Amino acid sequence: MELELIKYVVERFAESKDEIEYKVEEKETSVEVTVLLAASDMGKVIGKQGKIAKALRTLVSASTPRGGKRYFVEIKEKN
Protein backbone atom coordinates (compact mmCIF):
# COMPACT_ATOMS: atom_id res chain seq x y z
CA MET A 1 0.00 0.00 0.00
CA GLU A 2 2.66 2.50 1.04
CA LEU A 3 4.91 1.69 -1.93
CA GLU A 4 2.05 2.41 -4.34
CA LEU A 5 1.49 5.74 -2.59
CA ILE A 6 5.18 6.63 -2.96
CA LYS A 7 5.13 5.70 -6.66
CA TYR A 8 1.94 7.70 -7.25
CA VAL A 9 3.30 10.90 -5.70
CA VAL A 10 6.77 10.66 -7.27
CA GLU A 11 5.37 10.01 -10.75
CA ARG A 12 3.10 13.07 -10.53
CA PHE A 13 6.12 15.38 -10.24
CA ALA A 14 8.79 13.58 -12.28
CA GLU A 15 9.00 14.12 -16.04
CA SER A 16 11.23 11.12 -16.85
CA LYS A 17 8.88 8.47 -15.47
CA ASP A 18 10.58 5.62 -17.33
CA GLU A 19 13.91 6.36 -15.60
CA ILE A 20 12.60 6.12 -12.03
CA GLU A 21 13.86 3.17 -9.98
CA TYR A 22 12.63 2.01 -6.57
CA LYS A 23 14.81 -0.05 -4.26
CA VAL A 24 13.01 -1.61 -1.32
CA GLU A 25 14.89 -3.09 1.62
CA GLU A 26 12.82 -4.80 4.31
CA LYS A 27 14.15 -5.18 7.82
CA GLU A 28 12.53 -6.54 10.99
CA THR A 29 10.69 -3.38 12.01
CA SER A 30 11.13 -1.09 9.02
CA VAL A 31 11.10 -0.79 5.25
CA GLU A 32 13.58 1.49 3.50
CA VAL A 33 12.50 2.77 0.09
CA THR A 34 15.13 4.49 -2.05
CA VAL A 35 13.83 6.42 -5.03
CA LEU A 36 16.44 6.89 -7.77
CA LEU A 37 15.70 9.78 -10.14
CA ALA A 38 17.25 11.48 -13.14
CA ALA A 39 19.16 14.64 -12.25
CA SER A 40 16.58 16.79 -14.06
CA ASP A 41 13.77 15.46 -11.83
CA MET A 42 15.48 15.87 -8.47
CA GLY A 43 14.32 19.44 -7.84
CA LYS A 44 10.78 18.75 -9.03
CA VAL A 45 10.27 15.77 -6.74
CA ILE A 46 12.02 17.22 -3.69
CA GLY A 47 10.40 20.65 -4.07
CA LYS A 48 11.44 24.02 -2.74
CA GLN A 49 13.15 23.62 0.61
CA GLY A 50 12.22 19.91 0.53
CA LYS A 51 8.51 20.54 1.03
CA ILE A 52 7.28 17.86 -1.40
CA ALA A 53 9.67 15.25 0.01
CA LYS A 54 8.58 16.10 3.56
CA ALA A 55 4.90 15.89 2.58
CA LEU A 56 5.53 12.51 0.93
CA ARG A 57 7.14 11.18 4.11
CA THR A 58 4.23 12.52 6.17
CA LEU A 59 1.68 10.81 3.89
CA VAL A 60 3.50 7.50 4.06
CA SER A 61 3.80 7.75 7.84
CA ALA A 62 0.09 8.55 8.20
CA SER A 63 -0.99 5.67 5.95
CA THR A 64 1.02 3.05 7.85
CA PRO A 65 -1.19 1.08 10.25
CA ARG A 66 -0.37 1.10 13.95
CA GLY A 67 2.01 -1.66 14.85
CA GLY A 68 3.07 -1.98 11.21
CA LYS A 69 6.55 -1.55 9.84
CA ARG A 70 7.86 2.02 9.62
CA TYR A 71 8.66 3.30 6.15
CA PHE A 72 11.69 5.44 5.43
CA VAL A 73 11.83 7.24 2.09
CA GLU A 74 15.11 8.43 0.62
CA ILE A 75 15.38 10.30 -2.69
CA LYS A 76 18.66 10.05 -4.57
CA GLU A 77 20.03 11.01 -7.95
CA LYS A 78 20.54 8.14 -10.37
CA ASN A 79 24.18 7.73 -11.48
Side-chain angles (χ1 to χ4, degrees):
M1 169 73 180
E2 286 80 8
L3 185 58
E4 290 86 21
L5 178 62
I6 294 168
K7 287 181 180 181
Y8 178 82
V9 173
V10 169
E11 290 176 5
R12 294 298 155 245
F13 292 100
E15 288 183 6
S16 305
K17 294 172 181 44
D18 55 330
E19 293 184 31
I20 302 171
E21 289 182 26
Y22 301 92
K23 292 187 180 182
V24 180
E25 187 178 332
E26 284 201 44
K27 297 185 178 177
E28 283 185 36
T29 59
S30 64
V31 178
E32 293 179 12
V33 180
T34 304
V35 182
L36 298 170
L37 299 168
S40 61
D41 285 334
M42 287 295 291
K44 295 174 188 121
V45 174
I46 293 174
K48 287 187 179 180
Q49 298 176 350
K51 288 183 180 182
I52 295 172
K54 184 177 179 183
L56 173 63
R57 291 182 180 109
T58 302
L59 280 171
V60 170
S61 165
S63 70
T64 305
R66 259 182 218 252
K69 292 186 175 186
R70 292 192 63 199
Y71 275 74
F72 296 98
V73 181
E74 189 173 350
I75 301 170
K76 291 186 174 180
E77 185 176 330
K78 198 176 191 183
N79 291 342

Coordinates of all heavy atoms in Angstrom, one line a residue:
M1 N 0.8 -1.2 0.0 CA 0.0 0.0 0.0 C 0.9 1.3 0.0 O 0.7 2.1 -0.8 CB -0.9 0.0 1.2 CG -1.7 1.2 1.5 SD -2.9 1.5 0.3 CE -3.6 3.0 0.9
E2 N 1.8 1.3 0.9 CA 2.7 2.5 1.0 C 3.6 2.7 -0.2 O 3.8 3.8 -0.6 CB 3.5 2.4 2.3 CG 2.7 2.7 3.6 CD 2.0 1.5 4.1 OE1 2.1 0.4 3.5 OE2 1.2 1.6 5.0
L3 N 4.0 1.6 -0.8 CA 4.9 1.7 -1.9 C 4.1 2.3 -3.1 O 4.7 3.1 -3.9 CB 5.5 0.3 -2.3 CG 6.5 0.3 -3.4 CD1 7.7 1.3 -3.1 CD2 7.0 -1.1 -3.7
E4 N 2.9 1.9 -3.3 CA 2.1 2.4 -4.3 C 1.8 3.9 -4.1 O 1.8 4.7 -5.1 CB 0.7 1.7 -4.4 CG 0.8 0.3 -4.9 CD 1.1 -0.7 -3.9 OE1 0.8 -0.4 -2.7 OE2 1.6 -1.8 -4.2
L5 N 1.7 4.3 -2.9 CA 1.5 5.7 -2.6 C 2.8 6.5 -3.0 O 2.7 7.6 -3.6 CB 1.2 5.9 -1.1 CG 1.0 7.3 -0.6 CD1 -0.2 8.0 -1.3 CD2 0.8 7.4 0.9
I6 N 3.9 6.0 -2.6 CA 5.2 6.6 -3.0 C 5.3 6.8 -4.5 O 5.6 7.8 -5.0 CB 6.4 5.8 -2.4 CG1 6.3 5.9 -0.9 CG2 7.7 6.4 -2.9 CD1 7.3 4.9 -0.2
K7 N 5.0 5.7 -5.2 CA 5.1 5.7 -6.7 C 4.2 6.7 -7.3 O 4.5 7.5 -8.2 CB 4.8 4.3 -7.2 CG 5.9 3.3 -7.0 CD 5.6 2.0 -7.6 CE 6.7 1.0 -7.4 NZ 6.4 -0.3 -8.1
Y8 N 3.0 6.8 -6.7 CA 1.9 7.7 -7.2 C 2.4 9.2 -7.1 O 2.4 9.9 -8.1 CB 0.6 7.5 -6.5 CG -0.5 8.4 -6.9 CD1 -1.2 8.2 -8.1 CD2 -0.7 9.6 -6.2 CE1 -2.2 9.1 -8.5 CE2 -1.7 10.5 -6.6 CZ -2.4 10.2 -7.8 OH -3.4 11.1 -8.2
V9 N 2.9 9.5 -5.9 CA 3.3 10.9 -5.7 C 4.5 11.3 -6.5 O 4.6 12.3 -7.2 CB 3.5 11.2 -4.2 CG1 4.1 12.5 -4.0 CG2 2.3 11.0 -3.4
V10 N 5.5 10.4 -6.5 CA 6.8 10.7 -7.3 C 6.5 10.8 -8.8 O 7.0 11.7 -9.4 CB 7.8 9.5 -7.0 CG1 9.0 9.7 -8.0 CG2 8.3 9.6 -5.6
E11 N 5.6 10.0 -9.3 CA 5.4 10.0 -10.8 C 4.5 11.2 -11.2 O 4.5 11.6 -12.3 CB 4.7 8.7 -11.2 CG 5.7 7.6 -11.2 CD 5.1 6.2 -11.5 OE1 3.9 6.2 -11.9 OE2 5.8 5.2 -11.4
R12 N 3.9 11.9 -10.2 CA 3.1 13.1 -10.5 C 4.0 14.3 -10.8 O 3.7 15.1 -11.5 CB 2.1 13.4 -9.4 CG 1.0 12.5 -9.2 CD 0.1 12.4 -10.4 NE -0.5 11.1 -10.4 CZ -0.4 10.1 -11.3 NH1 0.4 10.3 -12.3 NH2 -1.0 9.0 -11.2
F13 N 5.2 14.3 -10.1 CA 6.1 15.4 -10.2 C 7.3 15.1 -11.2 O 7.8 16.1 -11.8 CB 6.7 15.7 -8.9 CG 5.7 16.3 -7.9 CD1 5.1 15.5 -7.0 CD2 5.3 17.6 -8.0 CE1 4.1 16.0 -6.1 CE2 4.3 18.1 -7.2 CZ 3.7 17.3 -6.2
A14 N 7.7 13.9 -11.4 CA 8.8 13.6 -12.3 C 8.4 13.6 -13.7 O 7.3 13.3 -14.1 CB 9.3 12.2 -11.9
E15 N 9.3 14.1 -14.6 CA 9.0 14.1 -16.0 C 9.5 12.9 -16.7 O 8.9 12.4 -17.6 CB 9.6 15.4 -16.7 CG 8.9 16.6 -16.3 CD 9.5 17.9 -17.0 OE1 10.4 17.7 -17.9 OE2 9.1 19.0 -16.7
S16 N 10.6 12.3 -16.3 CA 11.2 11.1 -16.9 C 10.8 9.9 -16.1 O 11.5 9.2 -15.4 CB 12.8 11.2 -16.8 OG 13.2 12.4 -17.4
K17 N 9.5 9.6 -16.2 CA 8.9 8.5 -15.5 C 9.5 7.1 -15.7 O 9.6 6.3 -14.9 CB 7.4 8.4 -15.7 CG 6.6 9.6 -15.2 CD 5.2 9.7 -15.7 CE 4.4 10.9 -15.2 NZ 5.0 12.1 -15.3
D18 N 10.0 6.9 -17.0 CA 10.6 5.6 -17.3 C 12.0 5.4 -16.7 O 12.5 4.3 -16.7 CB 10.7 5.5 -18.8 CG 11.4 6.6 -19.5 OD1 11.3 7.8 -19.0 OD2 12.0 6.4 -20.6
E19 N 12.6 6.5 -16.2 CA 13.9 6.4 -15.6 C 13.9 6.2 -14.1 O 14.9 6.1 -13.5 CB 14.8 7.6 -16.0 CG 15.1 7.7 -17.4 CD 16.0 8.9 -17.7 OE1 16.8 9.2 -16.9 OE2 15.9 9.4 -18.9
I20 N 12.7 6.2 -13.5 CA 12.6 6.1 -12.0 C 12.8 4.7 -11.6 O 12.3 3.7 -12.2 CB 11.2 6.6 -11.5 CG1 11.0 8.0 -12.0 CG2 11.1 6.5 -10.0 CD1 9.5 8.5 -11.7
E21 N 13.6 4.5 -10.6 CA 13.9 3.2 -10.0 C 13.5 3.2 -8.5 O 13.8 4.2 -7.8 CB 15.3 2.7 -10.1 CG 15.7 2.4 -11.5 CD 17.2 1.9 -11.6 OE1 17.7 1.4 -10.6 OE2 17.8 2.1 -12.7
Y22 N 13.0 2.1 -8.0 CA 12.6 2.0 -6.6 C 13.4 0.8 -6.0 O 13.3 -0.3 -6.5 CB 11.1 1.8 -6.4 CG 10.3 2.9 -7.0 CD1 9.8 2.9 -8.3 CD2 10.0 4.1 -6.2 CE1 9.1 3.9 -8.8 CE2 9.2 5.1 -6.7 CZ 8.8 5.0 -8.0 OH 8.0 6.0 -8.6
K23 N 14.1 1.0 -4.9 CA 14.8 0.0 -4.3 C 14.2 -0.2 -2.9 O 14.1 0.8 -2.1 CB 16.3 0.2 -4.1 CG 17.0 0.2 -5.5 CD 18.5 0.3 -5.3 CE 19.1 0.3 -6.7 NZ 20.6 0.3 -6.6
V24 N 13.7 -1.4 -2.6 CA 13.0 -1.6 -1.3 C 13.8 -2.6 -0.5 O 14.2 -3.7 -1.0 CB 11.6 -2.2 -1.6 CG1 10.9 -2.4 -0.2 CG2 10.8 -1.2 -2.5
E25 N 14.1 -2.2 0.7 CA 14.9 -3.1 1.6 C 14.1 -3.3 2.9 O 13.9 -2.3 3.6 CB 16.3 -2.5 1.9 CG 17.2 -3.4 2.7 CD 18.5 -2.7 3.0 OE1 19.0 -1.9 2.2 OE2 19.1 -3.1 4.0
E26 N 13.6 -4.5 3.1 CA 12.8 -4.8 4.3 C 13.7 -5.3 5.4 O 14.6 -6.1 5.2 CB 11.8 -5.9 4.0 CG 10.6 -5.3 3.2 CD 9.4 -6.2 3.3 OE1 9.0 -6.6 4.4 OE2 8.8 -6.4 2.3
K27 N 13.4 -4.8 6.6 CA 14.1 -5.2 7.8 C 13.1 -5.7 8.8 O 11.9 -5.7 8.5 CB 15.0 -4.0 8.4 CG 16.1 -3.6 7.4 CD 16.9 -2.5 8.0 CE 18.0 -2.1 7.0 NZ 18.9 -1.1 7.5
E28 N 13.5 -6.0 10.0 CA 12.5 -6.5 11.0 C 11.4 -5.6 11.3 O 10.2 -6.0 11.3 CB 13.2 -6.9 12.3 CG 14.0 -8.2 12.2 CD 14.6 -8.6 13.5 OE1 14.0 -8.3 14.6 OE2 15.7 -9.2 13.5
T29 N 11.7 -4.3 11.6 CA 10.7 -3.4 12.0 C 10.5 -2.2 11.0 O 9.7 -1.3 11.3 CB 11.0 -2.8 13.4 OG1 12.3 -2.1 13.3 CG2 11.1 -3.9 14.5
S30 N 11.2 -2.2 9.9 CA 11.1 -1.1 9.0 C 11.3 -1.5 7.6 O 11.8 -2.6 7.3 CB 12.2 0.0 9.4 OG 13.5 -0.6 9.2
V31 N 10.9 -0.6 6.7 CA 11.1 -0.8 5.2 C 11.8 0.5 4.7 O 11.2 1.6 5.0 CB 9.8 -1.0 4.5 CG1 10.0 -1.2 3.0 CG2 9.0 -2.2 5.1
E32 N 12.9 0.3 4.1 CA 13.6 1.5 3.5 C 13.3 1.5 2.0 O 13.6 0.6 1.3 CB 15.1 1.4 3.8 CG 15.4 1.6 5.2 CD 16.9 1.5 5.5 OE1 17.7 1.5 4.6 OE2 17.3 1.3 6.7
V33 N 12.8 2.6 1.5 CA 12.5 2.8 0.1 C 13.4 3.9 -0.4 O 13.4 5.0 0.0 CB 11.0 3.2 -0.2 CG1 10.8 3.3 -1.6 CG2 10.1 2.1 0.4
T34 N 14.2 3.5 -1.4 CA 15.1 4.5 -2.0 C 14.6 4.8 -3.4 O 14.4 3.8 -4.2 CB 16.6 4.0 -2.1 OG1 17.0 3.6 -0.8 CG2 17.5 5.0 -2.7
V35 N 14.3 6.0 -3.7 CA 13.8 6.4 -5.0 C 15.0 7.0 -5.8 O 15.6 8.0 -5.3 CB 12.7 7.5 -4.9 CG1 12.2 7.9 -6.3 CG2 11.6 7.0 -4.0
L36 N 15.3 6.4 -6.9 CA 16.4 6.9 -7.8 C 15.9 7.6 -9.0 O 15.1 7.1 -9.7 CB 17.3 5.7 -8.2 CG 18.0 4.9 -7.1 CD1 18.6 3.7 -7.7 CD2 19.0 5.8 -6.4
L37 N 16.3 8.9 -9.1 CA 15.7 9.8 -10.1 C 16.8 10.3 -11.1 O 17.9 10.4 -10.7 CB 15.0 11.0 -9.5 CG 13.8 10.7 -8.6 CD1 13.5 12.0 -7.8 CD2 12.6 10.3 -9.3
A38 N 16.4 10.8 -12.2 CA 17.3 11.5 -13.1 C 17.6 12.8 -12.5 O 16.8 13.4 -11.7 CB 16.6 11.7 -14.5
A39 N 18.7 13.4 -12.8 CA 19.2 14.6 -12.2 C 18.2 15.8 -12.5 O 17.9 16.6 -11.7 CB 20.5 15.0 -12.8
S40 N 17.5 15.7 -13.7 CA 16.6 16.8 -14.1 C 15.3 16.7 -13.2 O 14.6 17.7 -13.2 CB 16.2 16.7 -15.5 OG 15.6 15.4 -15.8
D41 N 15.0 15.6 -12.6 CA 13.8 15.5 -11.8 C 14.0 15.7 -10.3 O 13.0 15.8 -9.6 CB 13.2 14.1 -12.0 CG 12.5 13.9 -13.4 OD1 12.1 15.0 -13.9 OD2 12.4 12.8 -13.9
M42 N 15.2 15.8 -9.9 CA 15.5 15.9 -8.5 C 14.8 17.1 -7.8 O 14.1 16.9 -6.8 CB 17.0 16.0 -8.2 CG 17.7 14.7 -8.4 SD 17.3 13.4 -7.3 CE 18.0 14.1 -5.7
G43 N 14.9 18.2 -8.4 CA 14.3 19.4 -7.8 C 12.8 19.4 -7.9 O 12.1 19.9 -6.9
K44 N 12.2 18.8 -8.9 CA 10.8 18.8 -9.0 C 10.2 17.8 -8.0 O 9.1 18.1 -7.4 CB 10.4 18.3 -10.4 CG 10.8 19.2 -11.5 CD 10.6 18.6 -12.9 CE 11.2 19.5 -13.9 NZ 12.1 18.8 -14.7
V45 N 10.8 16.7 -7.7 CA 10.3 15.8 -6.7 C 10.5 16.2 -5.3 O 9.7 16.0 -4.4 CB 10.8 14.4 -7.0 CG1 10.4 13.4 -5.9 CG2 10.4 13.9 -8.4
I46 N 11.7 16.8 -5.1 CA 12.0 17.2 -3.7 C 11.3 18.5 -3.3 O 10.8 18.7 -2.2 CB 13.5 17.4 -3.5 CG1 14.2 16.0 -3.6 CG2 13.9 18.1 -2.2 CD1 15.7 16.1 -3.6
G47 N 11.1 19.4 -4.3 CA 10.4 20.6 -4.1 C 11.3 21.7 -3.4 O 12.4 21.4 -2.9
K48 N 10.7 22.9 -3.4 CA 11.4 24.0 -2.7 C 11.6 23.7 -1.3 O 10.6 23.4 -0.6 CB 10.7 25.3 -3.0 CG 10.8 25.9 -4.4 CD 10.2 27.2 -4.5 CE 10.3 27.7 -5.9 NZ 9.7 29.0 -6.1
Q49 N 12.8 23.9 -0.8 CA 13.2 23.6 0.6 C 12.7 22.2 1.1 O 12.5 22.0 2.3 CB 12.6 24.7 1.5 CG 13.1 26.1 1.2 CD 12.5 27.2 2.0 OE1 11.5 26.9 2.7 NE2 13.0 28.4 1.9
G50 N 12.6 21.3 0.2 CA 12.2 19.9 0.5 C 10.8 19.7 0.9 O 10.4 18.7 1.6
K51 N 9.9 20.6 0.6 CA 8.5 20.5 1.0 C 7.8 19.3 0.5 O 7.0 18.7 1.2 CB 7.8 21.8 0.7 CG 8.2 23.0 1.6 CD 7.4 24.2 1.3 CE 7.9 25.3 2.2 NZ 7.1 26.6 2.0
I52 N 8.0 19.0 -0.8 CA 7.3 17.9 -1.4 C 7.8 16.6 -0.8 O 7.0 15.7 -0.4 CB 7.4 17.9 -2.9 CG1 6.7 19.1 -3.5 CG2 6.9 16.6 -3.5 CD1 7.0 19.3 -5.0
A53 N 9.1 16.4 -0.6 CA 9.7 15.2 0.0 C 9.2 15.1 1.4 O 8.8 14.0 1.9 CB 11.2 15.3 0.0
K54 N 9.1 16.2 2.2 CA 8.6 16.1 3.6 C 7.1 15.7 3.6 O 6.7 14.9 4.4 CB 8.8 17.5 4.3 CG 8.4 17.4 5.7 CD 8.6 18.8 6.4 CE 8.2 18.7 7.8 NZ 8.3 20.0 8.5
A55 N 6.3 16.2 2.7 CA 4.9 15.9 2.6 C 4.7 14.4 2.2 O 3.9 13.7 2.7 CB 4.2 16.8 1.6
L56 N 5.6 13.9 1.3 CA 5.5 12.5 0.9 C 5.8 11.6 2.1 O 5.1 10.6 2.4 CB 6.6 12.2 -0.2 CG 6.8 10.8 -0.6 CD1 5.5 10.2 -1.1 CD2 7.9 10.6 -1.6
R57 N 6.8 12.0 2.9 CA 7.1 11.2 4.1 C 6.0 11.2 5.1 O 5.7 10.2 5.8 CB 8.4 11.7 4.7 CG 9.6 11.4 3.9 CD 10.9 11.8 4.5 NE 12.1 11.5 3.6 CZ 12.8 12.4 2.9 NH1 12.5 13.7 3.1 NH2 13.8 12.0 2.2
T58 N 5.4 12.4 5.3 CA 4.2 12.5 6.2 C 3.1 11.6 5.7 O 2.4 11.0 6.5 CB 3.8 14.0 6.3 OG1 4.9 14.8 6.7 CG2 2.6 14.2 7.2
L59 N 2.8 11.6 4.4 CA 1.7 10.8 3.9 C 1.9 9.3 4.1 O 1.0 8.6 4.6 CB 1.5 11.0 2.4 CG 0.8 12.3 1.9 CD1 0.9 12.4 0.4 CD2 -0.7 12.1 2.3
V60 N 3.2 8.9 3.9 CA 3.5 7.5 4.1 C 3.4 7.1 5.5 O 2.9 6.1 5.9 CB 4.9 7.2 3.5 CG1 5.4 5.8 3.9 CG2 4.9 7.4 2.0
S61 N 3.9 8.0 6.4 CA 3.8 7.8 7.8 C 2.3 7.7 8.3 O 2.0 6.8 9.1 CB 4.5 8.9 8.6 OG 4.2 8.9 9.9
A62 N 1.5 8.5 7.8 CA 0.1 8.6 8.2 C -0.7 7.3 7.7 O -1.6 6.9 8.3 CB -0.6 9.8 7.7
S63 N -0.3 6.8 6.5 CA -1.0 5.7 6.0 C -0.6 4.3 6.5 O -1.2 3.3 6.3 CB -0.8 5.7 4.4 OG 0.5 5.3 4.1
T64 N 0.5 4.3 7.3 CA 1.0 3.0 7.8 C 0.2 2.7 9.1 O 0.0 3.5 10.0 CB 2.5 3.2 8.3 OG1 3.3 3.6 7.1 CG2 3.0 1.9 8.8
P65 N -0.4 1.5 9.1 CA -1.2 1.1 10.2 C -0.4 1.0 11.5 O 0.8 0.7 11.5 CB -1.7 -0.3 9.9 CG -0.9 -0.8 8.7 CD -0.3 0.4 8.1
R66 N -1.0 1.2 12.7 CA -0.4 1.1 14.0 C 0.2 -0.3 14.1 O -0.5 -1.3 13.8 CB -1.4 1.4 15.1 CG -1.3 2.7 15.6 CD -2.2 2.9 16.8 NE -2.8 4.2 16.7 CZ -2.5 5.2 17.5 NH1 -1.7 4.9 18.5 NH2 -3.0 6.4 17.3
G67 N 1.4 -0.4 14.6 CA 2.0 -1.7 14.8 C 2.7 -2.2 13.6 O 3.3 -3.2 13.6
G68 N 2.5 -1.5 12.5 CA 3.1 -2.0 11.2 C 4.5 -1.5 11.1 O 5.0 -0.8 12.0
K69 N 5.2 -2.0 10.1 CA 6.5 -1.5 9.8 C 6.6 -0.1 9.5 O 5.7 0.4 8.8 CB 7.2 -2.4 8.7 CG 7.3 -3.8 9.1 CD 8.1 -4.6 8.0 CE 8.3 -6.0 8.4 NZ 9.1 -6.7 7.4
R70 N 7.7 0.6 9.9 CA 7.9 2.0 9.6 C 8.5 2.1 8.2 O 9.4 1.3 7.9 CB 8.8 2.7 10.7 CG 8.1 2.8 12.0 CD 8.8 3.7 12.9 NE 8.9 5.0 12.4 CZ 9.7 6.0 12.7 NH1 10.6 5.7 13.6 NH2 9.7 7.2 12.2
Y71 N 8.1 3.1 7.5 CA 8.7 3.3 6.2 C 9.6 4.5 6.2 O 9.2 5.5 6.7 CB 7.5 3.5 5.1 CG 7.0 2.2 4.6 CD1 6.1 1.4 5.3 CD2 7.3 1.8 3.3 CE1 5.6 0.3 4.8 CE2 6.8 0.7 2.8 CZ 5.9 -0.1 3.6 OH 5.4 -1.3 3.1
F72 N 10.7 4.4 5.6 CA 11.7 5.4 5.4 C 11.9 5.7 3.9 O 12.2 4.7 3.2 CB 13.0 5.1 6.1 CG 12.9 4.9 7.6 CD1 12.8 3.7 8.2 CD2 12.9 6.0 8.4 CE1 12.7 3.5 9.5 CE2 12.8 5.9 9.8 CZ 12.7 4.6 10.4
V73 N 11.7 6.9 3.5 CA 11.8 7.2 2.1 C 13.1 8.1 1.9 O 13.2 9.1 2.6 CB 10.6 8.0 1.6 CG1 10.7 8.3 0.1 CG2 9.3 7.2 1.9
E74 N 13.9 7.7 1.0 CA 15.1 8.4 0.6 C 15.1 8.7 -0.9 O 14.8 7.8 -1.7 CB 16.4 7.6 1.0 CG 17.6 8.4 0.9 CD 18.8 7.6 1.5 OE1 18.6 6.6 2.1 OE2 19.9 8.1 1.3
I75 N 15.4 9.9 -1.3 CA 15.4 10.3 -2.7 C 16.8 10.6 -3.1 O 17.5 11.5 -2.5 CB 14.5 11.5 -2.9 CG1 13.0 11.2 -2.5 CG2 14.5 12.0 -4.4 CD1 12.1 12.4 -2.4
K76 N 17.3 9.9 -4.1 CA 18.7 10.0 -4.6 C 18.7 10.2 -6.1 O 17.8 9.8 -6.8 CB 19.5 8.8 -4.2 CG 19.8 8.6 -2.8 CD 20.7 7.5 -2.6 CE 21.1 7.3 -1.1 NZ 22.1 6.2 -1.0
E77 N 19.8 10.8 -6.5 CA 20.0 11.0 -8.0 C 20.6 9.7 -8.5 O 21.5 9.1 -8.0 CB 21.0 12.2 -8.2 CG 21.2 12.5 -9.6 CD 22.1 13.7 -9.8 OE1 22.1 14.6 -8.9 OE2 22.8 13.8 -10.8
K78 N 20.1 9.3 -9.7 CA 20.5 8.1 -10.4 C 21.9 8.4 -11.0 O 22.1 9.5 -11.6 CB 19.5 7.8 -11.5 CG 19.6 6.4 -12.0 CD 18.4 6.3 -12.9 CE 18.2 4.9 -13.4 NZ 17.1 4.8 -14.3
N79 N 22.8 7.5 -10.9 CA 24.2 7.7 -11.5 C 24.2 7.4 -12.9 O 23.8 6.5 -13.5 CB 25.2 6.9 -10.8 CG 25.4 7.4 -9.3 OD1 25.1 8.5 -9.0 ND2 26.0 6.5 -8.5

